[in-house]
Amino acid sequence: MRKKFIAGNWKMFKGPEGTSEFISRFVDELLISKNVTKAIDEKKLEIAIFPPSISITRAIELKTNAPILIGAQNMYWQENGAFTGEISASMLKEVGCTHIIIGHSERRNIFLETNDIINKKLTAAVNAGLVSVLCVGELLDDRKSANTFSVIKKQLLDALKGINPQIISDKIIIAYEPVWAIGTGITANNIDAQEVCSYIRNLISEAFGEKIANKLIVLYGGSVKPNNTASFLIENDIDGVLVGGASLEIDSFMNIIKAAL
Ligand code: PGA
């Protein structure tokens, strides 16, 4: 059975101070939830938080040994050099990050990241040993014009170009995030989300083999809340959720985690 993966993407919220407040209380809440820690110990559940870069070190220092994975929301694909404003995968590793989000729709649409850029970032992240949460998702217009599957296929296969298939299920998690459902309060219903997540798994199976596809962790993201989490997680091909807004409050994020048990 595949483990459940619950991730909080804080986007551009919580500087070091807000991160301290959250992490110290969150660790307490987590450690008293015996069902949650048991599931983590038994490798049935993983919890990851993606703070803004400037807050990553604070999160890692404060969580001490608590079973929370800390990742970054962005990186550049070069190791180092004259790239003002950027940070590299090896720098993230150095401060203790284990995960990275790549290809989030806000990076694609606001910061104009192409599939080619995403492929370069994914390759660099894999080479550095980070686990990547690779986001794919269609715009509302794509869905209306029945292009969801072709958009997902291109995003996925372009991003994975040149990646060693043997590492895909260990080092890459795919998050299906329909752009029209992000931060809008409109969720894809579980049937639509399952349809696309199953399409993603089949695509990976065709391209890289069934064994890799069966091990692959596939998430749904887009207006996930405590009261809709379970409806996604009962679906065969949805192994977890990538949560934006609802991961910023301890109670709602904890309730999402508990809904995954
Ligand atoms: P949301 O964001 O949960 O606030 O819709 C999800 C995401 O962008 O990862």
Side-chain angles (χ1 to χ4, degrees):
M1 223 185 79
R2 291 184 296 267
K3 68 186 169 207
K4 295 276 185 287
F5 189 88
I6 309 295
N9 170 16
W10 285 358
K11 310 193 180 190
M12 202 172 72
F13 293 99
K14 297 192 194 294
E17 212 169 295
T19 298
S20 296
E21 276 165 33
F22 185 101
I23 296 289
S24 40
R25 238 191 78 211
F26 182 66
V27 166
D28 292 345
E29 296 275 332
L30 199 69
L31 297 181
I32 56 168
S33 308
K34 291 299 166 212
N35 290 345
V36 175
T37 51
K38 184 165 175 274
I40 296 173
D41 284 348
E42 291 172 349
K43 305 211 177 315
K44 291 179 182 158
L45 171 71
E46 281 186 352
I47 298 167
I49 293 179
F50 297 82
S53 300
I54 199 159
S55 304
I56 285 174
T57 310
R58 185 70 66 92
I60 290 171
E61 282 166 4
L62 272 177
K63 82 175 181 74
T64 57
N65 291 326
I68 308 164
L69 304 163
I70 303 292
Q73 300 169 18
N74 186 33
M75 52 163 254
Y76 193 56
W77 64 82
Q78 297 280 4
E79 177 87 20
N80 46 46
F83 304 106
T84 302
E86 296 296 322
I87 50 176
S88 67
S90 57
M91 291 171 185
L92 292 171
K93 285 280 288 187
E94 190 181 326
V95 296
C97 270
T98 52
H99 287 62
I100 174 89
I101 296 175
I102 293 181
H104 191 277
S105 63
E106 285 148 21
R107 299 293 321 167
R108 292 176 189 265
N109 300 323
I110 304 172
F111 301 100
L112 308 180
E113 289 190 8
T114 60
N115 286 330
D116 180 49
I117 290 176
I118 289 160
N119 172 252
K120 288 192 172 99
K121 290 187 172 189
L122 191 66
T123 305
V126 163
N127 290 340
L130 291 169
V131 175
S132 300
V133 177
L134 170 65
C135 301
V136 294
E138 81 285 7
L139 300 166
L140 186 56
D141 279 353
D142 300 325
R143 181 158 276 263
K144 281 185 179 160
S145 53
N147 285 326
T148 299
F149 293 137
S150 60
V151 168
I152 301 288
K153 182 174 186 177
K154 181 149 182 59
Q155 289 178 344
L156 203 55
L157 297 184
D158 281 6
L160 293 172
K161 238 178 235 165
I163 302 280
N164 172 4
Q166 296 315 317
I167 61 89
I168 288 179
S169 48
D170 287 335
K171 293 292 180 190
I172 298 174
I173 291 169
I174 311 283
Y176 168 55
E177 297 209 311
V179 180
W180 45 271
I182 295 179
T184 56
I186 306 168
T187 30
N189 68 41
N190 52 322
I191 311 287
D192 292 339
Q194 160 61 19
E195 191 184 24
V196 180
C197 291
S198 140
Y199 174 78
I200 289 171
R201 201 178 298 286
N202 286 335
L203 205 60
I204 296 292
S205 180
E206 277 168 28
F208 306 106
E210 203 181 333
K211 207 168 149 213
I212 291 168
N214 284 340
K215 279 171 67 189
L216 183 76
I217 303 288
V218 181
L219 315 178
Y220 168 76
S223 298
V224 170
K225 306 280 178 251
N227 63 4
N228 61 24
T229 302
S231 74
F232 293 109
L233 294 180
I234 53 164
E235 297 294 342
N236 276 346
D237 290 293
I238 305 178
D239 307 308
V241 284
L242 179 54
V243 188
S247 71
L248 294 168
E249 299 293 332
I250 292 172
D251 290 350
S252 64
F253 195 47
M254 271 311 292
N255 286 333
I256 287 172
I257 293 165
K258 287 176 182 163
L261 297 177

